Amino acid sequence: MKRNVNQNRMIRVLAASLWLAGIAVCPLQGEAALPTHPQSDSTIVGNSPIGSRHETVKIRVVRPQTGRGKQAGDTGERISRGQTSMKPAPGRKVQPGRSAGMTIRPSNTMGYTEAELRERMIRQHTQIRPDFRLVSGAFVGSGYRPGTMDVKIPKFFFPPDTMQDVSETFLENPDGTFGTRAPEDQLNGLSSYGAEAQQQLQSQGNRNAGEGSYPVPSGTASARTKYKTITVQVPVPAPSPFRPLAAGDFRWFTNSRGRYVVALPASMPYDPLQKLPAFGPMLLRNISQKEFMAVTADDPADTYYYKNQDTFPSYGKAVPVFTETRKNIQGDDVKIQYIRRYIGGEHCLIVDSAGQRAGKTYRTAIVFPESKQYEYLPKALYMIETLKGM
């Protein structure tokens, strides 16, 4: 009898200590049990030494509620009276900083995060930037043909890109993600709209419910369906500021001494050499010292006009702001330099070109104020592309 009293006293002490740890004890000796959580149904069976023998005591463990409305319960190992163990069952992993029995959110998600969608939208709506654009503003592809009025111009001379808002609407999933993650984890086809999107969400929800994660209750998917509009800013090419070319902008001239045909800009009508008796491979046209052009053919066999001397103007130590090599209508490579220079109190642009054919070097130089580059730059490049050696 005395032993039973001592035994019951020890059970009460143990029960009180375990109650503070979230564990309720069911006594075996007819004593009244301490209050427990009735919804818990998992048990731990252990041994407790009392005197010279061990007795078996059933201990009910109260597990916290999980996100699916069920209790998490594990069958632990046998423990002695006076000891507690929160060791999880074999095969169950516990993350650092978490105790056994805590619900761990599944790592798999239904869709993509907002950051992933923003990255995808910026990548999708940002256009590739080739080095050239046409006078019309379109980007130049591999099918460009020299000699067209819609001549290509380095994008260097176009205004900077502007920023524009782009918006897309996505389904919001119960787990806070958007759209449906593709099996190959790609970002293609994420945006979903209307009834098709609702059907997609319902199907995904039912599928996840069967896997034990993110269930969508039957009949409530449509009511819980949410959409979110995500807006990002992407660079958009500025409209072309260049004036389109027309046939009346040029008049064709054939130089029999230099053996070439060239399109002369009608906006430069004056010939500063017209009163001179000499007439040779070089021709000039101008309005002023800030708006003029020169064309010539350097021929190593020329011993009459220039005696193999370089007659083209020198630009000193000016460094080109851009250089390129392009084809002309005869398929020859033409090297072009774009040089900025201060002339007559104004910043000007010089477009200098040189291309070889049949042992001759055909050269051009067009000078104009930077304030007029949107008019003159297409003319200069069209003249360079269409210069034909004979």
Side-chain angles (χ1 to χ4, degrees):
M1 183 68 178
K2 185 177 180 179
R3 184 168 53 191
N4 291 338
V5 173
N6 292 336
Q7 177 181 343
N8 293 336
R9 184 180 297 111
M10 293 182 66
I11 290 176
R12 290 192 182 94
V13 173
L14 177 60
S17 62
L18 294 179
W19 173 258
L20 295 176
I23 301 175
V25 178
C26 296
L28 301 179
Q29 302 296 329
E31 295 293 331
L34 291 174
T36 64
H37 292 279
Q39 66 272 22
S40 176
D41 58 0
S42 59
T43 61
I44 296 178
V45 180
N47 296 328
S48 176
I50 300 178
S52 61
R53 67 173 185 166
H54 290 74
E55 296 183 0
T56 300
V57 178
K58 290 185 179 179
I59 302 176
R60 178 168 295 174
V61 181
V62 179
R63 299 293 185 186
Q65 296 286 338
T66 67
R68 293 186 291 274
K70 298 180 180 179
Q71 292 179 346
D74 301 318
T75 302
E77 61 184 4
R78 292 170 123 16
I79 59 174
S80 298
R81 191 187 301 270
Q83 298 178 340
T84 60
S85 174
M86 296 297 287
K87 197 171 190 180
R92 178 162 182 171
K93 296 182 179 180
V94 180
Q95 293 183 357
R98 294 176 179 264
S99 61
M102 293 183 65
T103 302
I104 302 175
R105 183 173 181 173
S107 59
N108 61 312
T109 56
M110 294 177 64
Y112 293 88
T113 64
E114 183 172 339
E116 288 177 308
L117 290 179
R118 288 183 177 276
E119 180 183 355
R120 172 255 188 185
M121 291 172 63
I122 292 175
R123 184 170 60 250
Q124 177 182 352
H125 294 284
T126 299
Q127 301 182 36
I128 299 176
R129 299 291 191 271
D131 291 333
F132 296 89
R133 294 175 64 183
L134 300 177
V135 172
S136 60
F139 288 114
V140 177
S142 58
Y144 176 76
R145 297 181 59 184
T148 63
M149 287 288 184
D150 200 10
V151 66
K152 70 177 184 179
I153 298 175
K155 70 175 183 180
F156 176 85
F157 298 101
F158 281 80
D161 294 341
T162 59
M163 300 304 294
Q164 178 176 311
D165 289 342
V166 176
S167 300
E168 289 189 28
T169 301
F170 300 91
L171 276 173
E172 184 173 352
N173 301 320
D175 63 352
T177 59
F178 303 89
T180 301
R181 185 175 290 273
E184 64 276 13
D185 198 30
Q186 297 296 322
L187 291 175
N188 297 328
L190 291 181
S191 58
S192 304
Y193 305 90
E196 180 182 354
Q198 297 184 21
Q199 184 179 3
Q200 185 182 32
L201 178 62
Q202 175 70 64
S203 175
Q204 180 69 23
N206 292 338
R207 190 160 56 248
N208 287 336
E211 298 171 357
S213 61
Y214 306 112
V216 179
S218 177
T220 62
S222 297
R224 295 176 57 184
T225 298
K226 296 181 180 179
Y227 296 91
K228 182 171 182 178
T229 299
I230 299 177
T231 302
V232 297
Q233 283 196 329
V234 296
V236 177
S240 173
F242 292 95
R243 186 177 72 82
L245 296 178
D249 292 333
F250 302 93
R251 67 182 183 89
W252 294 91
F253 183 86
T254 300
N255 188 326
S256 58
R257 308 296 173 90
R259 299 187 63 80
Y260 61 82
V261 178
V262 64
L264 300 179
S267 54
M268 296 181 182
Y270 305 115
D271 179 4
L273 300 179
Q274 63 180 351
K275 295 182 180 180
L276 298 179
F279 177 77
M282 177 178 286
L283 63 85
L284 298 177
R285 296 292 185 271
N286 77 335
I287 294 179
S288 66
Q289 64 171 343
K290 294 181 292 186
E291 295 181 47
F292 73 90
M293 57 154 290
V295 183
T296 190
D298 293 339
D299 186 356
D302 174 22
T303 58
Y304 178 75
Y305 293 102
Y306 304 127
K307 296 180 174 56
N308 299 320
Q309 296 181 0
D310 187 1
T311 59
F312 234 54
S314 174
Y315 310 122
K317 297 181 180 181
V319 178
V321 296
F322 190 84
T323 61
E324 61 156 312
T325 298
R326 69 172 65 185
K327 298 286 187 181
N328 62 13
I329 57 175
Q330 292 180 305
D332 301 326
D333 288 333
V334 181
K335 296 180 180 179
I336 305 176
Q337 298 183 94
Y338 302 84
I339 303 169
R340 282 195 173 121
R341 191 172 181 85
Y342 196 70
I343 302 175
E346 190 171 358
H347 290 284
C348 295
L349 186 65
I350 303 171
V351 182
D352 181 274
S353 74
Q356 293 185 346
R357 184 175 183 81
K360 297 181 181 180
T361 300
Y362 295 93
R363 303 185 62 184
T364 66
I366 303 95
V367 182
F368 49 86
E370 285 190 359
S371 59
K372 296 185 178 181
Q373 67 173 338
Y374 296 140
E375 174 190 352
Y376 274 110
L377 191 54
K379 294 178 180 179
L381 294 174
Y382 179 79
M383 185 182 73
I384 292 171
E385 284 189 358
T386 56
L387 177 64
K388 182 187 296 186
M390 298 184 299

